[in-house]
Every structure is written in structure tokens, then in C-alpha cells.
Amino acid sequence: MSDENLAYTQRIGQLLGSTQAANIDLVAQILKGDAQLKASVKATLHTWVEAHWTVSFIEGLIHLETQLPDIAVPLQARYQFLLKRFRGWRANYSILQNLRIFAKYHVSQIEHGYLPANWTPSPQEATLLASLPITALDLSQKGWRQIPPWLLCFPRLESLDLSMNALETLSDAIQNWTQLRHLKLQENALTQLPASIGALTQLQTLNLSDNSLNTLPDTVGHLARLQTLDLDNNQLTALPQSLTQLVQLHTLKLSNNQLTTWPTATSSDRRAMMAKLYLSNNQLTDLQPLLVQYTRLQYLNVASNRLRILPDALTQQTELRRLYLSNNQLGTVPRHLFELPQLTHLSLHNNGLAQLPPAVAASQQLRYLDLEDNPLQVVPDALTRLPQLERLRLSGTRLRALPARFHQMPRLRKITLKGTPLGEQTGVEVASTRTQFRQLMP
């Protein structure tokens, strides 16, 4: 570019910086009439922004965008890059002045966490932040060890994602988020929660999975609107009794903890909405307390615990559809297990079962049955009276033959027999066609 054009472009930058609409409109008219100059300006203004940008210049640039978007849009992208380097703002300009522009045109930059983590806003700055119409923030994967002070200045927040950081503690000031409905804190380094978590009474979903929590505060019982609570993959050994007060809780995930008992509710609340309960990989020995408390379960996973018996309270689960009991120590299964009217999926994998009772025929809705890795030598003829059964898993058993009528089961689609005498004898490890089924016939 010639020295004349360079000087002219710098003059255009100064005009833009004046924030006077007449000057900005003049720039637009000049550039519209000279394609070569327009191209030169477009190329040079990038470096001009880098060296000379001011709040007024950006305001002019945004005004220009309505008339020359092909120039302004790339420059705005450059400006957004500068926003990421927010730490330099305070050294050169009033952070409050820049925040006004930030708030007016680039709320999305706050939403992506481009403010410095260690910045503590002044009271005036905090007031400005609180006035922003920000209701949702995704601040995951920032590497933060603690919540930045400025983040506590958004009382209108309804959804906040702080997952996959390195948070070790939560400030008591989180009680400022009184409108928060959805909070993600999974994959951090939290060992405990502050009692102030109970102040977030509008919470509907709370994800705390993949932390190092070893206890929960009693105030968790104040989260009366909570519908989904995820505590998978922590180090919990017990739960507060107050947890049983959350009658709107629909889904509770507690897999991969160290729970040995379930808290006893003071009374069974028929309003309890619990439908999905994940408790695999704990150390539970008794299901009676939770089965009495929650009578509307649809999904229950208690695989890999230390269960030896299934209590009579199981008969109250008239809405239960999926039940996972694999890797326990049952030895035998009671008749009432097969009297659950809605049960479609049942896993009894690796429970030391030597036989299956004829009562299995009562499971008229059963579609999936897993009996793998049990010392079963036969399965009862009653199994063939399951009209909905589609998948039958028998690998790792001692099975040598199937009932004579099994191939007449109308919906049966797949049988697994890997590692069984029958599978070795017939060469069929997985049967999924009628031809393979016929090979298994006695």
C-alpha cells in the first residue's frame, strides 16, 4: 500500500474513533465508491485495531458494520480476539468503561469466561455485572481451582456449567445464585460442599459426579425442587437423612461410591417421585429401606453390591421396568421377583444361581433376561412361556441343553452361549437366526 493510502486509512481509523455518526457515514460512502481503497482499508484496519483500538473506535466500528459488513465483521472477529486478552484492558483503560461496551455488544464473551479468574470487581463494577441479562454460562474446562469472584455477581443465573475444571472448594457466596435451576460441577476436585448449597432452592438438576466427595451437608434436603442429582464416582460412605425429604427427586445417581446403608426415612412419603435409581458398585447389603421409601421406581441398578436376599418390599414396585442385580451374592431368587407386572429387563449375571424357579413364567412382559456366569445346568420349561422375551444371555453357565419348545418362542431374537457345554458341543456361541436355533434343538 502506498504511503498516501496508508495515511488515508489511518485517517479513516481516526474518523471511526470519533463516534460521530456523520464521520462514520462519510467513511462508508467513500469506501463504497472506491473498491481498491476499500480493499486496502480492509487489509490495513486489522493492524490499526491492534495498535490503536479504543472504546470509541469499537463503537464506530459496530456502527459501520450495518453499512459495510464485509469490512466490519472480520474486524469484529479481531476485536473478539482482543477481548480474550482482557488482562491488558485494566492497564490502559477503565475496566468499567470497557465493560459497558462489553455488556452492550459482547455478552457472549463473558459467557465464554474471558474475564480473568483472579479479577475482583469493585462495587460499581459488580453492580454493572449484576445488571447484565445473563442467565446461562458455560465455563467448563477453564482450569480454575476456585470460583472467580466476578462470577458471584450474576444473580440472574439460571444455568451454570463449571464442569471439568479443578475446583477444590465452593464459596459460601454461591447462595447469591438464588435463581439457579441447573448446575454442573462434574469432573472437579471437590471433597465437600458448603452448607450454603441449601440456599439454591430453585435447583432442578445438580451434577456432582466424578469428584472426591466423602460427605454431603444436611442442607441438601432444602433443595425441594431438585429433580435430578448425579453423585456417581465419588467417595461417599453414607447419605444424610435429609436426602429422603426430596420428594420431587426423579433421578438419583450414586454408582461407584462406598455406600453400605441407605438412610431411613422418618415416614414413607407417597409423593416421592423417584423413578430412576443408580446404585451399582457400592457395598449395600439391604434394599429394604429404599424399596419402602420409593414405591414408584421404574429403573433400579444395584449391580455389584453385597446383596444376599431380595426383600418382600420388592413386590411394592409395581411400576419397575428395569432391574439390574448382577454381581451380587443372591444364590437363589424368590418367587416374588417374577411377579413384578411391568418388568421388561432383568439382569441376574454372576449371582451363584444353580437353578431358576418355574415362577419365571409369571414375567409376562420380560424382554431381556441375563443369566450369564451362573452355575446353571438347566433352565426350566417355564422359560418358554415368556411371550415377549427377545434376548436371553446364558454365556458362562453349565448349560448342556435348552427346553424342547424354546425355538417356538415368538419374539426370541438372540441367545448367547459362549463358554457353555452346549455352545461348545454345537459350535454356536451366539444364536440369532432360526437356522442357528434349530442347531441348538435336542
Side-chain angles (χ1 to χ4, degrees):
M1 177 180 289
S2 66
D3 292 341
E4 181 181 354
N5 279 351
L6 179 60
Y8 193 78
T9 300
Q10 292 175 345
R11 174 56 181 155
I12 288 175
Q14 294 168 355
L15 287 172
L16 287 177
S18 71
T19 70
Q20 295 180 21
N23 286 339
I24 297 167
D25 292 340
L26 176 62
V27 170
Q29 292 301 318
I30 293 172
L31 295 181
K32 284 179 180 178
D34 191 329
Q36 183 178 359
L37 182 59
K38 182 177 178 180
S40 299
V41 169
K42 185 174 180 179
T44 308
L45 276 182
H46 284 77
T47 55
W48 178 262
V49 170
E50 180 83 31
H52 301 90
W53 73 282
T54 64
V55 170
S56 59
F57 177 86
I58 298 303
E59 286 183 323
L61 185 62
I62 292 170
H63 184 93
L64 180 64
E65 180 183 16
T66 61
Q67 302 187 51
L68 295 172
D70 59 329
I71 285 184
V73 169
L75 292 177
Q76 289 230 43
R78 186 63 171 168
Y79 176 46
Q80 290 176 7
F81 169 76
L82 290 172
L83 292 179
K84 296 179 184 180
R85 298 164 57 182
F86 190 83
R87 292 177 177 82
W89 286 23
R90 202 163 196 175
N92 300 306
Y93 305 101
S94 161
I95 196 168
L96 183 60
Q97 184 182 21
N98 286 286
L99 276 173
R100 287 198 179 100
I101 303 302
F102 206 41
K104 188 174 182 180
Y105 299 109
H106 292 287
V107 167
S108 63
Q109 302 302 306
I110 293 180
E111 293 174 345
H112 287 84
Y114 292 149
L115 297 177
N118 60 354
W119 173 50
T120 300
S122 67
Q124 190 179 18
E125 292 164 348
T127 300
L128 174 64
L129 291 175
S131 70
L132 300 183
I134 292 179
T135 59
L137 289 174
D138 182 350
L139 301 171
S140 57
Q141 302 185 71
K142 301 298 179 186
W144 294 339
R145 292 186 177 275
Q146 59 184 9
I147 293 178
W150 56 264
L151 184 53
L152 301 169
C153 298
F154 297 101
R156 303 183 190 184
L157 275 179
E158 296 179 7
S159 177
L160 176 59
D161 187 348
L162 288 167
S163 62
M164 293 181 281
N165 278 288
L167 299 176
E168 298 173 348
T169 60
L170 298 180
S171 166
D172 279 330
I174 63 172
Q175 62 190 353
N176 295 344
W177 298 327
T178 55
Q179 302 304 310
L180 203 60
R181 293 185 297 159
H182 308 285
L183 178 57
K184 294 182 178 181
L185 287 163
Q186 67 267 31
E187 297 186 54
N188 279 286
L190 298 172
T191 57
Q192 59 183 358
L193 299 177
S196 58
I197 192 78
L200 308 183
T201 56
Q202 301 301 311
L203 269 187
Q204 296 176 17
T205 64
L206 174 58
N207 193 333
L208 288 158
S209 60
D210 296 284
N211 278 280
S212 298
L213 297 172
N214 50 48
T215 186
L216 296 176
D218 287 337
T219 52
V220 72
H222 297 168
L223 305 178
R225 297 177 183 269
L226 199 62
Q227 298 174 17
T228 300
L229 176 58
D230 191 343
L231 289 159
D232 281 352
N233 304 310
N234 277 281
Q235 299 174 18
L236 297 170
T237 57
L239 300 172
Q241 191 276 334
S242 62
L243 189 68
T244 65
Q245 301 170 14
L246 303 180
V247 296
Q248 292 195 33
L249 197 60
H250 177 275
T251 301
L252 176 57
K253 297 184 176 183
L254 284 159
S255 294
N256 298 306
N257 279 280
Q258 302 169 29
L259 299 174
T260 57
T261 60
W262 189 261
T264 302
T266 53
S267 62
S268 177
D269 194 330
R270 295 296 175 180
R271 297 174 300 162
M273 302 295 293
M274 186 76 73
K276 297 181 179 180
L277 189 51
Y278 300 75
L279 284 162
S280 61
N281 290 294
N282 280 282
Q283 301 173 31
L284 297 172
T285 59
D286 185 8
L287 297 182
Q288 181 78 7
L290 69 88
L291 292 177
V292 169
Q293 181 183 354
Y294 302 120
T295 59
R296 303 171 66 178
L297 291 173
Q298 298 176 18
Y299 177 105
L300 176 59
N301 189 338
V302 285
S304 301
N305 277 274
R306 298 180 179 180
L307 302 175
R308 292 182 179 275
I309 60 171
L310 296 177
D312 292 342
L314 186 62
T315 60
Q316 300 178 35
Q317 303 298 328
T318 56
E319 299 179 31
L320 191 61
R321 290 170 172 78
R322 293 174 179 252
L323 177 58
Y324 297 91
L325 294 160
S326 60
N327 300 311
N328 278 285
Q329 305 163 29
L330 296 177
T332 60
V333 287
R335 177 187 181 89
H336 59 253
L337 173 62
F338 304 106
E339 295 175 349
L340 300 173
Q342 303 297 325
L343 193 65
T344 63
H345 290 67
L346 175 60
S347 175
L348 290 164
H349 177 106
N350 189 29
N351 266 284
L353 302 177
Q355 60 182 359
L356 200 63
V360 67
S363 292
Q364 291 292 290
Q365 301 302 317
L366 200 61
R367 300 202 308 262
Y368 173 94
L369 178 58
D370 184 354
L371 296 167
E372 289 187 346
D373 295 320
N374 283 290
L376 290 169
Q377 295 187 27
V378 296
V379 291
D381 290 339
L383 195 67
T384 65
R385 299 198 294 273
L386 298 177
Q388 306 298 325
L389 193 64
E390 298 174 1
R391 297 184 64 186
L392 177 59
R393 302 182 67 90
L394 295 165
S395 295
T397 64
R398 301 173 186 175
L399 198 66
R400 294 184 178 277
L402 289 170
R405 295 169 49 193
F406 89 92
H407 63 285
Q408 298 177 9
M409 298 174 69
R411 293 183 178 272
L412 191 61
R413 298 290 181 268
K414 188 175 183 178
I415 302 176
T416 62
L417 293 162
K418 185 176 181 180
T420 66
L422 179 59
E424 294 171 359
Q425 176 185 342
T426 60
V428 178
E429 292 187 343
V430 179
S432 57
T433 67
R434 286 298 163 186
T435 299
Q436 292 170 327
F437 288 166
R438 282 194 293 270
Q439 288 179 254
L440 299 175
M441 291 175 60

